[in-house]
């Protein structure tokens, strides 16, 4: 269901929509993905709701920043590789410019007493934010009543926190386990279907 | 060759961070603090607070921030490029496959196994920030605990979980509390 309008206009709208969303959304990937849906499904009606849900799932399950992934899937769906490229550039420009500007002042501000105390306190705040995120996500995992998931969580925590195992290895191991479990489940389903 | 190192480090961060913002934190910590010592552990939380307070994806913000600190604007460009390159290739490929075949069972299976591991890795990153905040690099002991920080942490957790306050607001509040405590001579 590609838009009927000419491609140049699609690309222009894609560029300015993703630029705007990236420049004004605080709070990271999940927020941006929701706004992408609002813009392209509800407002422009260029993508259907169900398809958008799958595209969001791709953006969330692939590695990398969710906002960038979301821009890529939407751009690719609307205008192919060129669309993906346009969406990426538009998503990256705002944080790049803003952070560059902030880091100019950062060095000067850090040594200031007021700012250094603020930053020290915010360290406790960051730890609290991470603790609450872990609490919410962790209870979801425990509530899912999947023994395998709880075991994976415990093993991954022991590996990274106690034994200092590289996180890359943990990610690879968990992904491999997921592939194995899915293939096994598919084989079992096929066998039972054959009976 | 600093540009190559930056590119390679952020390529790995982009390639192995599943699940968005917070999931990238342990990877960024591993590459930036432990492997290359581009930032020290007490500096590391700035890398989270500053990208959180500014708009845009955390990983891109972190890439720009570290890149510019280490090797100027060119460094920021290289780091950002490294960070998004895996996404570009992998997401485009999956989107192409999806639009063609629309089968996601394997993808969802991988995601189901990754999610608990990601939670655990975020928890580990949180533990090291907590240790740095409470003990500031000194040995972990009851006597050396910074109780002001511990109190701010406890209050922040309550505000987040019970009062459901916005995370950015809570972080700023934690900063203001520490500043007030320092001004009061604590």
């Amino acid at each position: 269901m590609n838009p009927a309008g000419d491609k140049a206009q699609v690309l222009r709208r894609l560029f300015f929509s993703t630029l705007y969303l990236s420049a004004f959304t605080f709070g990271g990937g999940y927020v941006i993905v929701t706004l992408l849906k609002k813009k392209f499904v509800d407002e422009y009606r260029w993508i259907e709701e169900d398809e958008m849900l799958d595209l969001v799932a791709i953006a969330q399950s692939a590695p990398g920043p969710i906002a960038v992934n979301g821009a890529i899937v939407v751009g690719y769906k609307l205008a192919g590789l060129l669309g993906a490229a346009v969406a990426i550039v538009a998503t990256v420009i705002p944080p790049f410019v803003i952070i560059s500007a902030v880091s100019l002042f950062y060095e000067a501000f850090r040594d200031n007493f007021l700012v250094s105390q603020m930053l020290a306190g915010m360290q406790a705040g960051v730890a609290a934010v991470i603790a609450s995120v872990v609490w919410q996500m962790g209870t979801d995992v425990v509530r899912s009543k999947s023994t395998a998931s709880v075991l994976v969580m415990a093993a991954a925590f022991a590996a990274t926190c106690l034994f200092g195992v590289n996180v890359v290895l943990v990610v690879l191991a968990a992904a491999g386990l997921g592939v194995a479990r899915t293939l096994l489940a598919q084989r079992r389903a096929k066998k039972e279907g054959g009976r | 060759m600093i540009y190559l190192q930056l590119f390679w480090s952020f390529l790995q961060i982009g390639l192995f961070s599943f699940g968005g913002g917070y999931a990238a934190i342990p990877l960024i910590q591993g590459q930036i603090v432990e492997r290359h010592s581009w930032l020290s552990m007490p500096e590391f939380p700035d890398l989270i607070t500053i990208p959180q307070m500014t708009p845009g994806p955390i990983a891109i913000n972190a890439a720009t921030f570290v890149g510019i600190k280490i090797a100027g604007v060119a460094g920021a460009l290289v780091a950002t490029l490294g960070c998004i390159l895996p996404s570009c290739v992998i997401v485009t490929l999956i989107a192409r496959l999806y639009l063609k075949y629309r089968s996601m069972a394997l993808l969802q299976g991988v995601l189901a196994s990754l999610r608990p591991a990601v939670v655990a890795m975020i928890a580990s990153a949180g533990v090291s920030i907590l240790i740095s905040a409470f003990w500031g690099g000194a040995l972990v002991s009851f006597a050396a605990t910074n109780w002001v920080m511990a109190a701010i942490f406890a209050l922040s957790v309550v505000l987040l979980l019970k009062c459901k306050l916005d995370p950015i607001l809570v972080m700023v509040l934690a900063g203001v509390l520490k500043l007030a405590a320092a001004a009061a001579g604590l």
Side-chain angles (χ1 to χ4, degrees):
Chain A
M1 213 208 47
N2 261 332
D6 61 321
K7 199 160 180 177
Q9 200 205 331
V10 171
L11 287 176
R12 199 164 46 236
R13 273 199 179 175
L14 185 66
F15 181 84
F16 285 110
S17 311
T18 39
L19 186 81
Y20 175 81
L21 290 182
S22 181
F24 292 103
T25 29
F26 294 81
Y30 291 99
V31 182
I32 295 187
V33 165
T34 322
L35 293 173
L36 278 176
K37 183 213 162 253
K38 273 205 183 107
K39 194 106 202 159
F40 291 103
V41 178
D42 304 341
E43 192 179 325
Y44 291 162
R45 297 185 187 284
W46 283 354
I47 303 174
E48 280 171 45
E49 173 108 38
D50 283 353
E51 196 171 29
M52 190 66 197
L53 285 179
D54 284 344
L55 291 178
V56 169
I58 293 175
Q60 287 175 346
S61 48
I66 293 181
V68 175
N69 295 353
I72 295 174
V73 286
V74 169
Y76 186 80
K77 152 77 190 155
L78 290 176
L81 283 179
L82 189 61
V86 165
I88 293 166
V89 171
T91 305
V92 169
I93 289 175
F96 194 86
V97 171
I98 293 168
I99 291 286
S100 299
V102 167
S103 64
L104 284 181
F105 304 103
Y106 173 74
E107 298 283 324
F109 272 121
R110 238 210 99 83
D111 303 327
N112 180 292
F113 174 77
L114 294 180
V115 175
S116 69
Q117 288 300 318
M118 277 282 285
L119 285 173
M122 288 175 81
Q123 204 174 354
V126 171
V129 170
I130 293 182
S132 72
V133 167
V134 167
W135 173 256
Q136 282 155 357
M137 293 171 84
T139 43
D140 277 352
V141 171
V142 172
R143 248 185 239 139
S144 73
K145 296 213 161 62
S146 155
T147 321
S149 295
V150 175
L151 280 179
V152 168
M153 188 162 77
F157 184 74
T160 49
C161 195
L162 302 179
F163 302 111
V165 175
N166 192 329
V167 283
V168 170
L169 286 180
V170 177
V171 166
L172 288 178
L177 191 73
V179 171
R181 275 172 66 192
T182 312
L183 292 181
L184 269 175
Q186 279 176 347
R187 245 175 72 185
R188 212 174 300 144
K190 217 180 257 174
K191 239 185 209 165
E192 274 163 17
R195 258 177 223 162
Chain B
M1 185 57 187
I2 190 72
Y3 295 119
L4 262 179
Q5 278 182 352
L6 272 173
F7 181 78
W8 181 236
S9 285
F10 277 95
L11 188 83
Q12 290 178 62
I13 291 168
L15 184 58
F16 292 107
S17 62
F18 290 83
Y22 292 104
I25 292 171
L27 283 150
I28 296 174
Q29 184 194 340
Q31 288 288 334
I32 306 307
V33 181
E34 282 154 28
R35 188 128 192 279
H36 294 289
S37 309
W38 283 328
L39 289 178
S40 65
M41 198 57 213
E43 282 178 303
F44 178 64
D46 300 347
L47 195 58
I48 304 165
T49 47
I50 290 168
Q52 282 276 29
M53 288 185 293
T54 53
I58 294 178
I60 303 288
N61 289 348
T64 310
F65 186 72
V66 174
I68 227 164
K69 189 167 184 290
I70 307 305
V73 174
L77 261 178
V78 165
T80 304
L81 216 66
C83 184
I84 62 169
L85 188 64
S87 287
C88 296
V89 176
I90 295 170
V91 176
T92 310
L93 220 67
I94 300 178
R96 196 189 175 95
L97 287 176
Y98 163 74
L99 291 173
K100 227 172 168 178
Y101 303 109
R102 317 235 158 190
S103 159
M104 307 252 293
L106 195 63
L107 201 66
Q108 272 156 8
V110 171
L111 183 65
S113 279
L114 270 177
R115 208 171 296 129
V118 168
V119 175
M121 293 189 303
I122 298 172
S124 297
V127 168
S128 30
I129 291 178
L130 206 61
I131 289 175
S132 166
F134 285 9
W135 292 283
L139 271 180
V140 175
S141 72
F142 190 77
T145 310
N146 184 335
W147 291 107
V148 172
M149 294 290 268
I152 294 175
F153 170 78
L155 180 68
S156 303
V157 170
V158 171
L159 289 177
L160 285 162
L161 285 177
K162 294 283 168 221
C163 311
K164 311 260 178 241
L165 285 190
D166 182 64
I168 296 163
L169 188 68
V170 172
M171 289 193 306
V172 173
L173 203 66
V176 172
L177 279 175
K178 173 76 175 84
L179 183 61
L186 281 172

